[in-house]
Amino acid sequence: MRLMEGVCKIFFVLIIVLPLIAKQVSATQHVVGGSQGWEESVDLNSWASAQTFKVGDQLVFKYSSGLHSVVELGSETAYKNCDLGTSLDSKNTGNDVVKLNKVGTRYFACGTLGHCDQGMKMKITTVAGNAPSTPASDSDTSAAAFFPRSFPTFLLFSPLLILYFLL
């Protein structure tokens, strides 16, 4: 009887934990600009147009702190005019993460004087979570590389279900 109680406890914990792991695994981290990062020499809009950004994904801005920064702009007009005075958010650590938490278009620019005007800005569109994601690099070492989005998560539960019905 104690064995059955232990199995039930383990089963219960796994039923709660595995869906959380599966959800975390499904998010993709996009390193902005690929291997070159958030730099003036990168065609950021070409890079962005080659990606699929989904709700739950993250943008990772890697750059030299003090040389660049990341400013999120609130409108297409602000983006086109490089109007940094109307920013929604600003980051400057050199390894900044922006979570894509809703469907829509977002605008980013470098906050260093003159960089946005020289083209260091990008526009991204985030889609619903059922579109395929495209990571920034083929050498992605994140968990998403091991469990692609198309991985049927019910397979994670199959051994548990078999164990449950055998006992």
Side-chain angles (χ1 to χ4, degrees):
M1 192 54 131
R2 288 185 155 228
L3 176 63
M4 189 61 160
E5 286 177 18
V7 169
C8 286
K9 287 179 185 177
I10 291 171
F11 182 72
F12 178 75
V13 168
L14 290 176
I15 287 296
I16 291 173
V17 172
L18 281 177
L20 296 174
I21 292 170
K23 182 169 178 60
Q24 185 67 25
V25 165
S26 68
T28 298
Q29 283 196 333
H30 301 272
V31 177
V32 175
S35 60
Q36 293 178 299
W38 180 243
E39 293 294 329
E40 290 173 277
S41 61
V42 177
D43 184 346
L44 295 164
N45 281 311
S46 289
W47 173 84
S49 67
Q51 311 299 309
T52 301
F53 303 104
K54 294 174 58 173
V55 171
D57 287 356
Q58 296 177 336
L59 297 177
V60 181
F61 291 85
K62 294 184 181 227
Y63 57 92
S64 299
S65 182
L67 181 59
H68 301 298
S69 65
V70 178
V71 175
E72 184 170 0
L73 304 172
S75 70
E76 185 153 11
T77 301
Y79 168 77
K80 286 180 178 177
N81 297 326
C82 289
D83 182 1
L84 304 178
T86 60
S87 66
L88 300 176
D89 192 16
S90 182
K91 299 179 182 304
N92 59 11
T93 68
N95 191 27
D96 303 316
V97 177
V98 174
K99 194 168 195 176
L100 304 176
N101 51 13
K102 62 183 177 181
V103 171
T105 302
R106 293 173 77 174
Y107 308 92
F108 299 93
C110 181
T112 302
L113 186 63
H115 287 193
C116 179
D117 292 317
Q118 294 171 4
M120 195 170 172
K121 60 183 179 176
M122 77 172 185
K123 170 181 171 177
I124 67 140
T125 301
T126 306
V127 297
N130 54 2
S133 240
T134 309
S137 167
D138 290 337
S139 60
D140 188 358
T141 57
S142 70
F146 299 104
F147 291 103
R149 288 186 187 276
S150 59
F151 182 79
T153 54
F154 73 88
L155 290 178
L156 294 172
F157 298 106
S158 296
L160 295 173
L161 293 173
I162 292 168
L163 181 63
Y164 180 77
F165 287 112
L166 287 177
L167 297 175

